[in-house]
Amino acid sequence: MRQELQNIEYIERYLENDLNNIEKRKFEQHMKQDAGFKAAVKLQRQIVSQLKEEAFLLDLADYQQEFTQQPPKGKRISPWWILLPLFILGSLPVLWYALSTASTPTEINTLTTEHISLPPSVEMESSLPPPQLKAFETNFVSKKVRAQKGATIYLKKSKSTLYIPTNAVVDKHGNPVKGAYELQYRELRDRADMAFSGLPMNYKNQETAEGLNSVGILEVRAFQNGEALQIAPGKALSLDYEVNKRAKNLDLYHLDEQAETWTETSEVIDLPKKDAYTEAFDSLAYQAAVIAHNEKFKNLGIGDGVERKNATINVETTLIPERMKKTEREERPDPNKYLVKHYKNPRLVKDLRLNSFGIYNCGQKYKVKNQIAVSADYTDLEQIIINNAHTLSIIDMNYNAAYSFKPEQFICNAKANNIFLLWSKDGKLYSFVKRATIKMNTGDYSFQMEDLSEKVKNTADLKRYLKFVEKKTKETVTKTN
């Protein structure tokens, strides 16, 4: 019985937040490993909660009675001290049973990240994200557009072009917009752009997780006097979009921002064949060649065998000096030689229609293979607990995507080369590099993370880090699906 009372005291200290970090970590690990102990904690929490509630009600009734009946003065004993021993005595048998049936602690898997030394860096929640995250956000590019003229906008990060037709936008009441308005856009081209964008990269919430392997994301908005605008009915923006990589089975998706899911549009992604080209006659070069030819023969004289009537050149080879004997076909500029090949951009998708402002994702669906569900906690390399985790972003190096999760639970491909990026609420960035050779199963894991806060301070640093890790992974590990 003494041991059970000690366990109750131990549980009460936890519930009252009276344990230090090391004791708290051991306590929570024991809870995860031992269902019986977890049940005992749950029961004790209910007992304490019930005690507090009943004591509060009794106190409230007593308080009201003081004002209605004015009882004699005297020191009043709180009913909490009367109820507490009774509830503890009544709960001891149940707690004793729960604690006595508790299993021995099971082992929590601990994974330590491989320490990666980077070359010298290039300088450049509460529910709210840490302010350091702003350095990893992709900024919008702003352009002024006159509603009556429309605009052609060449996107900065790619060889993409956005065409805005005339009178293409309306306000929230459906009234045509007049004068100038502000069009904003941003492109997310790679994993570093997507890692902390806040955009979901899953296709639909299903039992089997599906992701989008993105070849480019474009967000487009329009404002006038701070008010969000809409594309007018019957109008659409036209987009020639350069994807960052050729891929099969590409589709264009639009984000339903309320449901946070991607909806497939009706647009067809038709990439040109490699080495595809069109031919065009270079008339300027041909005319220059004809002028040069005429200039060459103009001083040969009347009897030189060359007629110059209406810039037509006829050569009688029998009358031309020996050193200049050539056939007419050989001597005259050949128009066929002035057909110029214009090779198409093999990554440019032409004439995509955007029927509304918002976020568009050009990508391909895929199923996350070898899915496992992980419950996680985190420490740094010195095994100090990271107890203020804010956001977890997982990058599967086989795909151009980044997936955000609550740090406590996530799913991933157990056999993939993954990079786990963890933001803490105090603005620190941690990394865990999981090689495909590390075996993982569904269960509880403790990840030992490397602190990147001093090495990776913005998106450019993150791109550099991801590129470096991917290079090292290719050198040492064969990709496994």
Side-chain angles (χ1 to χ4, degrees), residues 261-273:
T261 56
W262 296 100
T263 302
E264 188 174 335
T265 70
S266 59
E267 295 302 294
V268 177
I269 306 297
D270 188 14
L271 288 170
K273 295 180 180 179

Side-chain angles (χ1 to χ4, degrees), residues 84-98:
L84 180 60
L86 296 176
F87 270 90
I88 291 178
L89 289 173
S91 64
L92 279 177
V94 181
L95 282 172
W96 176 82
Y97 174 78

Side-chain angles (χ1 to χ4, degrees), residues 23 35 56 66 81 109 124 174 190 201 213 219 272 326 355 361 403 422 479:
E23 290 173 331
F56 170 76
E66 288 182 6
W81 299 106
N109 301 292
M124 284 193 52
D190 55 34
M201 292 302 293
N213 183 25
E219 182 172 359
K326 289 184 181 286
N355 295 309
N361 190 348
Y403 302 90
L422 179 71
K479 287 184 179 179

Side-chain angles (χ1 to χ4, degrees), residues 182-235:
E182 183 179 23
L183 186 129
Q184 296 181 358
Y185 76 88
R186 64 172 180 167
E187 294 182 86
L188 307 180
R189 303 287 293 177
D190 55 34
R191 301 162 182 153
D193 292 334
M194 300 171 196
F196 300 110
S197 66
L199 299 180
M201 292 302 293
N202 56 304
Y203 176 59
K204 285 183 179 178
N205 295 323
Q206 298 176 336
E207 292 183 4
T208 302
E210 288 187 326
L212 283 178
N213 183 25
S214 179
V215 292
I217 295 175
L218 176 66
E219 182 172 359
V220 186
R221 311 282 184 184
F223 302 90
Q224 188 181 60
N225 300 325
E227 178 184 313
L229 305 178
Q230 303 169 4
I231 296 179
K235 294 280 188 175

Side-chain angles (χ1 to χ4, degrees), residues 27-42:
F27 186 97
E28 292 174 346
Q29 284 180 338
H30 192 188
M31 258 201 312
K32 289 181 180 180
Q33 298 162 355
D34 192 331
F37 184 72
K38 184 177 181 180
V41 174
K42 182 178 180 181

